[in-house]
Amino acid sequence: MQKAAPYSSTRTRQLVITSMSIALVFVATLFINIKLPIAANGGLVHMGTAMLFLIAVLFGPRTAMIAGAVGMGLFDIVSGWTLWAPFSFVGRGLQGFIVGWIAWTYGHNGTKVSVNVLAMIVSVPVMLGVYYICEGILYSNWVAPALSIPGNITQNVVGILVAIPVGIALKKTRFFRQRG
């Protein structure tokens, strides 16, 4: 039996990690959420944001961008928020990329907690901006979208508060210590 080339093995591993990351973001968004009684459409605080942050810290910008875009876009499609799917695809993809890119700069590979927190905080205005523009377009009103900002901030704060300690714990495991 011939041994597979390392390149093939690495690509397969990355495909599996990315696919599982998409699934984790989707499932955490779909099943672990609280609908907020604010704004025109309410709002949603879900653990998908925590998963997105965690994936960015653990696996970097590319995996996080794909997981955020596809996982949360898919959530929108299957849960009745279909109109929001393209905006989630862009906003959450950008958010995942930003967190991963900052957390993995200068060889940190998501290991420096202060950089990870900074990365998550820096990504929030981008996500807020995308959803603000989305609501402005959908409602033809640039004042009403401001009502969604507190819920979106709450969702991101909860995501940060969950992702940081879980990320610290996971980075101590053998799997992630080996990856750098």
Side-chain angles (χ1 to χ4, degrees), residues 141-157:
N141 181 329
W142 297 100
V143 176
L147 297 174
S148 296
I149 293 173
N152 286 331
I153 290 172
T154 302
Q155 178 175 283
N156 280 277
V157 168

Side-chain angles (χ1 to χ4, degrees), residues 105-119:
T105 55
Y106 303 113
H108 290 303
N109 297 347
T111 57
K112 191 160 173 106
V113 176
S114 60
V115 173
N116 296 345
V117 172
L118 175 66

